[in-house]
Amino acid sequence: MAKEKNQTVRVRLVKSPNSCQGRHRLSVKALGLRKLNDVRELKDSPSVRGLINKVSYLVSVESDA
């Protein structure tokens, strides 16, 4: 059996969530992002991808291959 690689996604907060919807603010918080240019390395899962998709205008994404 081949070993499965742990896929991760790097997410960086590039825009302030101050003037956006409350749900989007909560999504940013759920991703673990607090300040501008804060970076988190998260497991690549459908739930994380959904959060990123919701706040795509606030974050930038770098996938680790």
Side-chain angles (χ1 to χ4, degrees):
M1 258 191 212
K3 284 189 176 181
E4 189 174 312
K5 248 185 169 180
N6 288 340
Q7 295 292 329
T8 59
V9 173
R10 277 191 165 178
V11 183
R12 179 184 301 268
L13 186 63
V14 294
K15 188 176 177 187
S16 175
N18 283 344
S19 63
C20 65
Q21 294 180 8
R23 285 184 175 224
H24 292 195
R25 252 182 261 125
L26 290 175
S27 295
V28 169
K29 189 175 181 182
L31 289 170
L33 302 170
R34 295 182 180 187
K35 297 180 178 182
L36 283 179
N37 293 318
D38 198 6
V39 177
R40 291 286 182 253
E41 201 163 311
L42 304 166
K43 185 179 176 185
D44 191 8
S45 66
S47 59
V48 170
R49 285 287 179 175
L51 287 170
I52 292 170
N53 191 26
K54 185 176 274 192
V55 294
S56 61
Y57 64 99
L58 298 174
V59 298
S60 69
V61 180
E62 310 162 8
S63 62
D64 293 341

